[in-house]
Amino acid sequence: VHSASKMTAANTNAAPKEPIQSVQVFGRKKTATAVAYCKRGHGLIKVNGRPLSIIEPRLLQYKLYEPILLLGKDRFAGVDIRIKVKGGGHVAQVYAIRQAIAKSLVAYYQKYVDEASKQEIKDILINFDRSLLVADPRRCEAKKFGGPGARARYQKSYR
């Protein structure tokens, strides 16, 4: 009983800590998974600790910026997004990252901003490209016996 009263006394002296406004969302493409941690901040977007501008392959750089360019920098100005990505190839990772960015902003707006602005963001993203919010369910088909791949069969000869 004595230790419990001591603990409550210590908590009353400290300033009331407000919980960090944050959401954690994932984006997926094939076997690549990108987990985005979105919290209130100053418009910082990092992937595995690096800025978006140095993510390879360079050809798909524009794909990463699509959600930001579509919605405008002002919507991202109030949030920091940190993304960890693993699995898959380079292209699949890029698609997973862009999906994670888009989904994290929608989730953040739903939880901490109003429903109307969340719906507006969602509509813009869906009208442009549905894969920004909805994962692509396609997976690689398994190889079967009697052929070199999933569907192709070995050539048949009669003599």
Side-chain angles (χ1 to χ4, degrees):
V1 179
H2 186 68
S3 61
S5 62
K6 210 184 240 181
M7 211 165 98
T8 53
N11 288 348
T12 52
N13 294 347
K17 246 187 175 179
E18 57 178 63
I20 300 165
Q21 290 188 349
S22 69
V23 287
Q24 199 169 16
V25 192
F26 63 85
R28 282 204 177 117
K29 173 77 171 158
K30 291 185 176 177
T31 54
T33 306
V35 179
Y37 179 72
C38 179
K39 63 177 200 254
R40 200 170 62 212
H42 314 286
L44 187 83
I45 299 175
K46 292 259 175 114
V47 178
N48 291 348
R50 300 194 180 111
L52 276 184
S53 55
I54 61 167
I55 300 299
E56 294 289 330
R58 285 263 183 255
L59 281 170
L60 291 170
Q61 196 89 62
Y62 190 71
K63 279 279 177 206
L64 287 174
Y65 285 108
E66 272 174 2
I68 300 153
L69 296 169
L70 276 171
L71 301 169
K73 279 198 167 74
D74 53 319
R75 284 208 177 97
F76 286 89
V79 294
D80 283 353
I81 303 174
R82 285 188 165 77
I83 302 157
K84 286 190 177 83
V85 65
K86 59 175 189 266
H90 298 299
V91 175
Q93 282 191 354
V94 166
Y95 277 88
I97 291 165
R98 74 197 274 266
Q99 189 181 60
I101 291 170
K103 279 172 77 173
S104 68
L105 195 73
V106 169
Y108 183 86
Y109 268 69
Q110 181 173 10
K111 203 167 176 185
Y112 301 111
V113 194
D114 58 330
E115 189 68 27
S117 57
K118 178 220 104 170
Q119 198 55 48
E120 189 186 339
I121 288 171
K122 215 170 166 180
D123 291 340
I124 292 167
L125 293 171
I126 291 281
N127 286 335
F128 179 75
D129 184 2
R130 192 163 178 268
S131 71
L132 279 167
L133 294 177
V134 183
D136 187 351
R138 294 176 297 174
R139 294 290 174 267
C140 190
E141 193 176 337
K143 180 200 178 297
K144 282 93 177 172
F145 57 84
R151 298 286 174 98
R153 300 294 98 201
Y154 291 127
Q155 195 170 324
K156 184 173 153 191
S157 84
Y158 289 103
R159 57 178 94 226

